[in-house]
Amino acid sequence: MRSLEFTSLLLFSAIFRVILIIYGEWQDAHMEVNYTDVDYLVFSDAASLMASGDSPYKRTTYRYSPLLAFLLIPNSLIHRSWGKFIFSASDLLVGYFIHFILQQRKVPKKLSNYCVMTWLFNPFTFTIGTRGNCEPVVCAMILWIIICLMKGNVLQSAFWYGLIVHFRIYPIIYAIPMVLILDPDFFPSDQKPILKNWTAAQAERLHDGNYLYTLHNLFKCIFTRNRLIFGLVSAVVFFLFTGLSYYLYGWEFLHEALLYHLTRTDPRHNFSIYFYHIYLHYGYDISVMEKLISFLPQFMVQLVLIFYFAKDLPFCLFAQTVAFVAFNKVITAQYFVWFFCLLPLILPWSKMKLKWNGMLCILSWIGAQIHWLMWGYLLEFKGKNVFFELWVASLVFHAANVNVLTMVIRHHRFSSFFLGLKDAKSKNVAKHE
């Protein structure tokens, strides 16, 4: 009966998304403000160019892998909403993967369903796919890589990781924790890793430093079979797809899909704390080194989070993603989906109650965002010069992100994703006794 509850949730979510896609078509035709994301129009135009034999990069602002344009070719052959259905199906697949991962870790079904609902019925997530944004595809692939690791399929996880980094560059930040989790203590030769389940996590008594990875721990056994397989296969897949794309579309692909994101200077207003500086200096000659320096705070925070939380893989990926988005040079609402797909995986291990700390985190995050949107509205729709006020709002939103992440870390029950060899042996001894 309880499994039927999840099926019902998934079915209702699917129907709801179909209704939103149909409604979006009506709104686009009858209202001044479109429901469809402007990026979807870019994807569709690029797919149409590819279908006619041209380069998708002839469409200005198309800065994605050619695979995305190829995926949306039916937009011009079948129906313009084809891509929205693909993205919404990926959205539902994310919900299914979340449920599967939590069930594999023995999370109670009722709690598991509540966690899945934080994805399926989150306004940020169900509008992203139905408006035509490709992020649900990326989220589904990230969760599938986690499932592959859970099953001990290192080769398969490496293939999909190499592909997703080619498809959307930001998952490159997961490379180190993916390699670290392939510790021989968790992945002994010719044996599948053993998951540490939810009930075991509830009984743990952790001490500071238990989960700290040091460089010594990493380098003393970095060249293990599984780590070499993961690194080599993922690199080969990435360079294979990237090389093929370069062969087909040349420098245009390399610049738009990859290099652009490293040195991007976008003068348009966005949630980032860097936008005002970029706006004031736009048009001036800025060296590549100066552009790359902005990655330094991101890089330092990433390293700290990785080496402290890598053994708790889902939590590490979540914390990394929140920090990456918060410190990024450009932040748009679609980026929030990157960590929303990982949030349900850590909720069962949180000591935070919805009342009051949980509600405080939600309200502070949403409140800071609404505050920013108010100034954004005055700038974009009323034409008022409120750039400085908007930058201050970006600082407030940044502070809200950092505060929420800090609260989540403080209330998290740290639990290694896999059982180590000693824990696994003691577990087997206890079973036999």
Side-chain angles (χ1 to χ4, degrees), residues 62 71 73 87 120 128 191-192 209 223 246 335 350 360 400 424:
Y62 181 76
L71 190 65
I73 285 178
F87 300 152
L120 291 178
I128 285 291
Q191 293 182 42
K192 287 186 177 182
F223 296 113
Y246 180 76
Y335 293 2
S350 179
L360 182 64

Side-chain angles (χ1 to χ4, degrees), residues 205-225:
R205 294 292 182 271
L206 304 178
H207 303 285
D208 290 340
N210 275 11
Y211 290 91
L212 182 63
Y213 256 113
T214 63
L215 290 175
H216 172 70
N217 292 338
L218 173 62
F219 288 117
K220 74 177 181 181
C221 55
I222 189 171
F223 296 113
T224 63
R225 179 174 176 272

Side-chain angles (χ1 to χ4, degrees), residues 134-193:
C134 69
E135 301 304 341
V137 175
V138 183
C139 294
M141 292 179 75
I142 294 296
L143 295 185
W144 176 244
I145 292 167
I146 294 175
I147 291 172
C148 290
L149 289 172
M150 289 167 55
K151 294 180 175 181
N153 295 330
V154 177
L155 188 63
Q156 193 175 151
S157 64
F159 172 84
W160 289 107
Y161 183 69
L163 180 60
I164 195 58
V165 173
H166 163 80
F167 187 82
R168 198 83 164 90
I169 193 66
Y170 88 87
I172 192 69
I173 66 174
Y174 304 144
I176 297 177
M178 292 284 185
V179 170
L180 287 176
I181 202 65
L182 296 172
D183 193 299
D185 193 41
F186 301 138
F187 283 76
S189 57
D190 302 321
Q191 293 182 42
K192 287 186 177 182

